[in-house]
């Protein structure tokens, strides 16, 4: 997670690229939740679920990091925190 200064009432965009490196030929799902919280009271301001199930071995960064995600949030305080966390759907 990382906290950063925000302006109350301002709308922000969060974008990231997500992928699953799988050296094994057997498919495996990795899933995360990306969200932004008001740092002061931990209220969730916006979120997105991301998952990836590659069909086998990847050989390059481009094949691993192949999906972009974007979500928006409106700040309710002067500090917000973005975090990324695993979900139970992940299979290792």
């Amino acid at each position: 997670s990382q906290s950063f200064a925000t302006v109350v009432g301002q709308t922000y965009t969060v974008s990231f690229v997500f992928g699953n490196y799988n050296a094994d030929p057997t498919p495996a799902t990795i899933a995360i939740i990306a969200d932004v919280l008001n740092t002061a009271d931990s209220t969730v301001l916006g979120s997105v679920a991301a998952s990836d199930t590659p069909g086998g071995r990847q050989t390059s960064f481009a094949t691993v990091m192949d999906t972009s995600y974007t979500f928006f949030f409106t700040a309710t305080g002067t500090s917000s925190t973005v975090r990324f966390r695993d979900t139970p759907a992940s299979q290792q």
Side-chain angles (χ1 to χ4, degrees):
S1 64
Q2 182 175 348
S3 297
F4 53 96
T6 50
V7 176
V8 175
Q10 176 98 23
T11 299
Y12 295 85
T13 304
V14 177
S15 297
F16 63 96
V17 177
F18 177 73
N20 176 5
Y21 175 76
N22 183 15
D24 190 315
T26 306
T29 299
I30 296 294
I32 64 166
I33 298 285
D35 56 15
V36 173
L37 314 169
N38 176 313
T39 303
D41 65 12
S42 298
T43 301
V44 176
L45 305 175
S47 67
V48 67
S51 67
D52 189 32
T53 307
R57 293 186 176 102
Q58 291 83 41
T59 58
S60 72
F61 183 81
T63 59
V64 172
M65 304 305 280
D66 59 354
T67 307
S68 297
Y69 293 86
T70 300
F71 67 97
F72 305 92
F73 73 95
T74 301
T76 59
T78 58
S79 179
S80 298
T81 302
V82 63
R83 68 181 177 179
F84 296 87
R85 53 199 169 97
D86 289 333
T87 67
S90 294
Q91 302 170 358
Q92 308 269 334

